[in-house]
Amino acid sequence: KAGVTQTPRYLIKTRGQQVTLSCSPISGHRSVSWYQQTPGQGLQFLFEYFSETQRNKGNFPGRFSGRQFSNSRSEMNVSTLELGDSALYLCASSLEGDAGELFFGEGSRLTVL
Amino acid sequence: AQSVTQLDSQVPVFEEAPVELRCNYSSSVSVYLFWYVQYPNQGLQLLLKYLSGSTLVKGINGFEAEFNKSQTSFHLRKPSVHISDTAEYFCAVTFVAGTYKYIFGTGTRLKVLA
């Protein structure tokens, strides 16, 4: 079956702009989580959604937001972009989101100039 | 606060040699443990996981890891590496109580040399 699909794969923005990233989970997976990956920092948890409800949120400023739709697809938005937001944003889906295997997409690489 | 430490940021090793990638965690509550691998320009994929039971866990591609509760470690090992094992490896924990988030280490870049 199809894996986790993230769009766009690459994007370049300038400071102050906003960006929306999309994630389509594996069919049947209801949990979607988002992570920010930067060199030397590993993966930092952004948030997790299950059945359109945010169940947990990481320590990121309010400029980072997300949502999940009834078909389990998820979007994350970053407003007022800063240079430090340049990163690979990874989406992962799982069946239940609790000790289940995470299935990752290939990520959306955001560059902020 | 919970944390995961991967002390080695890079590990070079010759082909067919054994390798150990170290992972230590800190948590006041019970955890589940994972190792993920990331090949260039790809997302992460699960190598193995420890939920309960035998502390020696076998995963894909000949990797194994041992959970040591007293030392709060979950080191990854492979007896003989191949060039194709060159990748970045991440140790991660999530919590038995269920917080729906995973905490990842900063990763270890394994470079297998010919």
Side-chain angles (χ1 to χ4, degrees), chain A residues 35 37 55-56 99-100 102 105, chain B residues 32 36 38 43 90 99-100 102:
Chain A
Y35 291 83
Q37 184 180 11
R55 297 195 295 188
N56 204 344
L102 294 179
Chain B
Y32 298 127
Y36 283 84
Q38 185 179 35
F90 292 91
T99 60
Y100 315 114
Y102 291 68

Side-chain angles (χ1 to χ4, degrees), chain B residues 11-21 77-81 110:
Chain B
V11 173
V13 62
F14 285 103
E15 194 173 19
E16 297 184 10
V19 70
E20 178 180 84
L21 306 183
R77 302 185 185 99
K78 186 170 183 178
S80 175
V81 295
L110 175 64

Side-chain angles (χ1 to χ4, degrees), chain A residues 74-88:
Chain A
S74 177
E75 289 181 348
M76 66 163 283
N77 183 277
V78 188
S79 62
T80 319
L81 284 166
E82 301 177 358
L83 295 178
D85 297 333
S86 294
L88 181 67

Side-chain angles (χ1 to χ4, degrees), chain A residues 9-10 33 35 37 40-43 45 48 55-58 88 90 96-106, chain B residues 32 34 36 38 41-46 49 51 88 90 94-107:
Chain A
R9 289 291 314 281
Y10 302 91
S33 50
Y35 291 83
Q37 184 180 11
Q41 295 292 315
L43 281 73
F45 173 74
E48 189 265 357
R55 297 195 295 188
N56 204 344
K57 188 178 189 305
L88 181 67
L90 291 165
E96 295 183 359
D98 186 13
E101 176 181 352
L102 294 179
F103 292 83
F104 283 85
E106 294 182 318
Chain B
Y32 298 127
F34 303 80
Y36 283 84
Q38 185 179 35
N41 299 315
Q42 293 186 26
L44 282 70
Q45 66 181 82
L46 182 69
K49 63 183 176 183
L51 302 184
E88 190 151 23
F90 292 91
T94 191
F95 308 99
V96 173
T99 60
Y100 315 114
K101 77 174 195 181
Y102 291 68
I103 296 177
F104 285 81
T106 52

Side-chain angles (χ1 to χ4, degrees), chain B residues 18 23 30 33 36 44 59 67 69-70 89 97 113:
Chain B
C23 172
S30 296
L33 296 141
Y36 283 84
L44 282 70
F67 170 54
K69 189 174 182 180
S70 63
Y89 292 79
L113 309 169

Side-chain angles (χ1 to χ4, degrees), chain A residues 17-90:
Chain A
Q17 288 187 310
Q18 73 165 12
V19 66
T20 299
L21 309 178
S22 179
C23 172
S24 293
I26 291 172
S27 177
H29 286 192
R30 296 166 65 190
S31 170
V32 174
S33 50
W34 289 88
Y35 291 83
Q36 181 194 65
Q37 184 180 11
T38 54
Q41 295 292 315
L43 281 73
Q44 303 293 316
F45 173 74
L46 282 156
F47 23 66
E48 189 265 357
Y49 290 89
F50 183 86
S51 293
E52 303 180 67
T53 299
Q54 185 183 89
R55 297 195 295 188
N56 204 344
K57 188 178 189 305
N59 296 324
F60 279 82
R63 300 184 296 107
F64 291 81
S65 63
R67 59 178 175 169
Q68 186 181 35
F69 302 95
S70 58
N71 61 359
S72 293
R73 191 177 70 84
S74 177
E75 289 181 348
M76 66 163 283
N77 183 277
V78 188
S79 62
T80 319
L81 284 166
E82 301 177 358
L83 295 178
D85 297 333
S86 294
L88 181 67
Y89 291 88
L90 291 165

